Amino acid sequence: MTEQLTPADPARIGGHRLLARLGTGGMGVVYLGRADTGELAAVKVIRPEYAAEPDFRARFRREAAAARRVRSPWVVPVTGADPEAEAPWLATAFVPGPALAEAVARCGPLPERGTRILGKILARALAAVHAAGLVHRDVKPGNVLLAVDGPRLIDFGIARSPEETALTSPDAVVGTPGFLAPEQAQGRETGPAADVFALGCVLAYAATGRPPFGTGAVDALLYRTVHDEPDLSGAPDGVRDVVARCLAKDPADRPTATGLDAVLVEDAPEGTAEWLPDDVVRLIADRSAAMLALPDAEATVAGAAEAAPAAGRRRFLALGAGGAALVAAGGGAALWAGLRDEGGSGSAARRWTLGVQADLSGPQRAAGRAQERGVRLAVEQFNARERRPFELAVAVADDRGDPAEAERAARRLAADRDLLAVVGSTGDKTTGAALGAYDARRVPQLTVSSAQGAYGTASRRSLLQTVPTYGTTSLPAALFLQAEGVRRVGMVIDRAAGEFAWEEGHLAYKTLGLVELEVHPRVVPRSADSPAAVLADVLDRRPDAVYYAGSPRRAADLAHKLLARDFTGVRILGYPAAGPEFTARAGPAAEGWEVFAPYIDPEAERVAGFAAAFRKRYGHAPGRWAAEAYDVAGMVLDRLTEAVLGGRRPERGRLFELLTGSTYRGMVREYAFQDGYLQGVEAFHYRVRHGRFAYAGPADVGA
């Protein structure tokens, strides 16, 4: 997908007329350009701060020359480069098709034959890379483009000769976690075998729709890559055996790229895409037609300032603790009357849509229903105002907490051209499953309770996490332990509970160390029947406190064991385990456990006005996460209003920019973002009293 050029973008680079932006990254901007010969190219332009470094230029010079040495129809060729230019650039032939990551996210896994043919062609591509004396080092679904005449391997941004490592820090991990070989994950020397391992990961993803080592925090991904066996469940037999060989931990046990080509005895038709499913072929055709139909761009001037916002812009939406209040600004009606929507009709008559994707009937239905009702209340209060710039509808999709249904629900919602943003989904797995569909259509996706730190291969072009990620609540926990005079902490990280437990526990371990607490961590294996199995070792260290990251059921087992051992120290429970199941199973053993969570108590004074409005509307008290969902809906409404009063059509991309580029003060917390993540760690303290989690007030998060 392309984005419009900005006024600050140059008109030409190295003989290429720039037409659009293809993407941005940490190192620079990639443009779609048209050469003087008429051919399209992807032109990567390096950021000035890197161009000023002599070492970086040396590396860029080497890598541009290295990429030119590769000769294969399945590797996108370098068509030009200028490492000495003021803004160094490199151009490759443009492939107007989707990445494998997008194709799988939107259309599902490939069939067995399609996966094997993909593997055979990519093995040939890697064989050519290795024959040129290079290692690609970042083979992943996002670097495999699907074209009408076959796949292409792209991006030699970090490819180099195996001996050329001087410009890389010895302990740096280069590549994409989840698609790295164990030797890469450990920062050791890598060779062609690392590319074969990565290809195995890509084929596992193509066949199952998920990376073989899961998703989640980077540290967790690297740990599983080095120590765990890949999850190949669901992969066809004809794919599983080949992939398993590629994913051998020892590089010497993996096949070569040439050997893999020979093993995959398939009819690999050149010049066609008939080996792909029909919906993927249609996606390739649609993307190719859209890209190739781009007109020449108007000239822009490098360094030109962006247009200033309309003078006198006024914000007139305020969502406070007592509900929504609309403050009309003088002259606003004239602005509304002049707006036009995509169809050319007056926007005041247009009914735009805010989506809610949630688990309304599955394992997290209580949180999902609370979030849906929080969003509805905010929108209803907005629509009840007499003077409003637009009317907003709410479209709801129940994904039942199932990743497959979450992907289908996201596709349905994203297909609505009037959908401007979506709040959801409720859980980590469903959020990750839905991300590809929303990202493909640039629908801003705002999570309320999904706190995972990473979502595999999906990009973050449209995702905003409005909740602190797992483990960040360990900061107030650490400060609390410090204030209680705790010196030694026994930490139990229960891997059987899932990704969140590892992510939460690992970051908590680091955070506790930062405040100079002595931490003794123990990891409970997936196969262990109970975390209590490691308790004796933890208590042998004579800790003043025990910190558990895991599930509510297994937390209850641990609580019973601690009570039986007469442990009287502080007990910290990671918030994902804090719920009715823990208190019901633990009984008296739950008393006194401390929890630091990102959600506010619905009865807290800070949200009293909201709670009263919620009771009036629904006849019962709000549940956990309802206030946060109301806040997030209020933020979307506020930014939409800003777009409308600024005279702008509220397009999805523009709305995402407004959401990420400014700060919103809600009832629960302040919302400001960097790279899609919430900044700040506002948390709330709970303590089990008389069988329930009693609210103890806002947590101390330091200065």
Side-chain angles (χ1 to χ4, degrees), residues 342-639:
E342 296 173 44
S345 61
S347 70
R350 185 66 178 268
R351 187 178 175 90
W352 298 317
T353 302
L354 176 62
V356 178
Q357 181 175 335
D359 177 0
L360 302 179
S361 56
Q364 291 183 282
R365 57 185 175 274
R369 290 171 179 170
Q371 290 175 24
E372 179 208 358
R373 292 186 172 186
V375 171
R376 283 192 183 278
L377 180 60
V379 172
E380 288 173 2
Q381 290 176 336
F382 176 83
N383 287 340
R385 300 301 93 189
E386 182 177 351
R387 299 191 67 187
R388 58 186 182 277
F390 55 87
E391 186 170 317
L392 200 65
V394 177
V396 177
D398 177 12
D399 59 30
R400 304 197 296 271
D402 176 69
E405 181 56 33
E407 184 181 346
R408 289 190 288 268
R411 289 182 190 173
R412 290 194 299 270
L413 284 174
D416 180 1
R417 63 188 292 267
D418 288 340
L419 182 79
L420 297 181
V422 66
V423 178
S425 177
T426 314
D428 296 326
K429 291 183 178 179
T430 50
T431 292
L435 179 56
Y438 292 129
D439 197 60
R441 294 182 180 257
R442 302 304 301 272
V443 177
Q445 180 185 2
L446 299 96
T447 68
V448 174
S449 54
S450 302
Q452 186 169 293
Y455 289 94
T457 60
S459 78
R460 295 186 70 96
R461 298 186 308 167
S462 57
L463 178 66
L464 284 180
Q465 289 182 266
T466 69
V467 60
T469 55
Y470 292 123
T472 52
T473 51
S474 60
L475 174 59
L479 295 175
F480 174 80
L481 290 171
Q482 194 178 51
E484 291 290 304
V486 168
R487 295 176 54 200
R488 294 182 300 276
V489 181
M491 173 161 284
V492 180
I493 303 172
D494 196 346
R495 295 199 65 207
E499 297 302 327
F500 73 85
W502 170 260
E503 186 173 333
E504 177 192 11
H506 187 71
L507 185 54
Y509 166 64
K510 290 184 175 181
T511 304
L512 295 178
L514 290 176
V515 298
E516 300 182 347
L517 294 176
E518 183 182 330
V519 187
H520 302 286
R522 280 300 308 268
V523 177
V524 182
R526 293 179 186 272
S527 58
D529 292 334
S530 167
V534 304
L535 185 60
D537 184 65
V538 170
L539 294 182
D540 283 346
R541 303 282 186 163
R542 298 187 179 279
D544 306 310
V546 170
Y547 193 127
Y548 174 78
S551 69
R553 179 180 64 81
R554 292 164 71 92
D557 293 343
L558 192 71
H560 282 296
K561 295 294 183 182
L562 285 172
L563 183 62
R565 294 286 298 268
D566 294 324
F567 181 77
T568 58
V570 180
R571 290 149 295 159
I572 302 286
L573 181 64
Y575 82 84
E581 184 179 2
F582 169 74
T583 50
R585 286 179 174 271
E591 290 296 302
W593 278 76
E594 314 281 351
V595 174
F596 296 87
Y599 48 78
I600 196 169
D601 187 274
E603 301 299 325
E605 180 63 28
R606 187 186 300 187
V607 295
F610 158 76
F614 191 99
R615 284 195 192 88
K616 181 177 180 180
R617 170 64 178 84
Y618 298 111
H620 61 82
R624 185 184 295 175
W625 297 112
E628 287 76 16
Y630 180 88
D631 255 2
V632 171
M635 177 172 61
V636 173
L637 289 164
D638 187 67
R639 296 301 174 249

Side-chain angles (χ1 to χ4, degrees), residues 27-274:
M27 307 300 286
V29 182
V30 182
Y31 296 100
L32 175 63
R34 194 188 302 278
D36 293 337
T37 60
E39 296 176 341
L40 292 174
V43 185
K44 176 187 281 187
V45 181
I46 303 303
R47 295 186 187 278
E49 55 266 34
Y50 295 105
E53 298 178 9
D55 285 349
F56 182 87
R57 279 189 183 269
R59 171 182 163 180
F60 187 80
R61 188 182 303 113
R62 288 209 307 261
E63 291 169 358
R68 288 178 182 271
R69 301 205 303 264
V70 180
R71 295 289 183 268
S72 170
W74 311 118
V75 177
V76 174
V78 174
T79 59
D82 188 354
E84 312 306 328
E86 181 178 354
W89 60 271
L90 180 144
T92 60
F94 176 68
V95 179
L100 175 65
E102 180 187 353
V104 171
R106 296 186 62 177
C107 305
L110 300 184
E112 179 177 346
R113 176 173 177 264
T115 303
R116 288 176 63 88
I117 289 175
L118 176 70
K120 186 175 185 70
I121 295 176
L122 292 179
R124 291 178 177 177
L126 283 177
V129 172
H130 300 160
L134 303 174
V135 182
H136 188 284
R137 304 217 299 176
D138 198 21
V139 179
K140 62 182 179 180
N143 279 342
V144 176
L145 299 183
L146 302 179
V148 293
D149 57 349
R152 300 290 193 280
L153 182 63
I154 66 168
D155 198 350
F156 280 80
I158 57 174
R160 66 194 57 170
S161 302
E163 68 274 11
E164 291 179 344
T165 58
L167 296 182
T168 302
S169 172
D171 59 352
V173 175
V174 180
T176 302
F179 296 89
L180 296 176
E183 58 269 27
Q184 272 181 289
Q186 293 175 306
R188 295 190 280 114
E189 182 178 350
T190 60
D195 285 345
V196 173
F197 188 97
L199 177 56
C201 294
V202 168
L203 296 182
Y205 175 81
T208 66
R210 63 183 187 278
F213 297 99
T215 61
V218 170
D219 287 341
L221 284 171
L222 299 181
Y223 180 92
R224 291 195 297 270
T225 299
V226 174
H227 299 287
D228 289 359
E229 292 303 311
D231 178 8
L232 301 181
S233 59
D237 292 341
V239 172
R240 187 185 302 111
D241 293 344
V242 173
V243 169
R245 290 182 59 197
C246 295
L247 298 182
K249 302 297 186 187
D250 188 342
D253 293 337
R254 301 170 203 152
T256 64
T258 301
L260 188 60
D261 179 12
V263 168
L264 290 166
V265 182
E266 303 294 333
D267 172 24
E270 297 186 14
T272 75
E274 62 84 17

